[in-house]
Amino acid sequence: MALESHHPMMHLAMTQIVSNIMDMKSMRRPRIVEVTGPVAVKVAYHNFLAPTCCNESTALELVFANDIVMTGILGKQLIKISPDNFLFPKYQYDELVPYNATLNVTRQERIEMDSGTRHWEKISYKGSNLLRQAIPRRYNSCQRYLAAVDKGEFKEIDSIEQLVVPKV
């Protein structure tokens, strides 16, 4: 996705994401795709176009049409390009390739090892396990956690590396 600086569609997306995070009943198993991912952006896209597009119609087939320049709130324009031209399957990612003289790994694992990056699902799983162990159940929602931080009951966490798993 590419947008100009301070585009209202992105403002709506970030507002939707913050709202979704604050409305989560539990931080222990977040539905990332819905809370911060494509679903939040889709809601923002719809809210950006619906008031001014398509004779104020909220019909999804009109609002989510591909390859048409649309004008949304504040007179800003955008175009949703068909994903067929840009998204390609990952061919042969399960194929075994040599990593060194003694180790064969899948192409996906080799890319992760060489680049130092990991798939978001793996990172999310590790992070959620640490979070489950480090944050007591009574602070399982964002609102409860922030209220506890304000009261001084719980130390604020700036990054996943600061999570300290309590000794049992």
Side-chain angles (χ1 to χ4, degrees), residues 46-64:
H46 180 267
N47 292 340
F48 171 74
L49 289 176
T52 59
C53 162
C54 316
N55 297 324
E56 297 188 15
S57 169
T58 56
L60 297 182
E61 62 273 1
L62 294 174
V63 174
F64 292 104

Side-chain angles (χ1 to χ4, degrees), residues 54-110:
C54 316
N55 297 324
E56 297 188 15
S57 169
T58 56
L60 297 182
E61 62 273 1
L62 294 174
V63 174
F64 292 104
N66 287 329
D67 304 319
I68 300 171
V69 176
M70 308 272 252
T71 302
I73 57 176
L74 302 177
K76 295 289 188 171
Q77 293 183 329
L78 55 73
I79 183 170
K80 180 177 170 285
I81 298 172
S82 174
D84 297 338
N85 301 328
F86 294 98
L87 299 178
F88 304 102
K90 295 179 177 180
Y91 292 115
Q92 301 173 339
Y93 265 49
D94 292 333
E95 180 181 282
L96 286 177
V97 295
Y99 181 67
N100 57 28
T102 61
L103 180 63
N104 288 332
V105 295
T106 65
R107 190 174 306 278
Q108 175 71 37
E109 292 170 332
R110 173 73 189 262

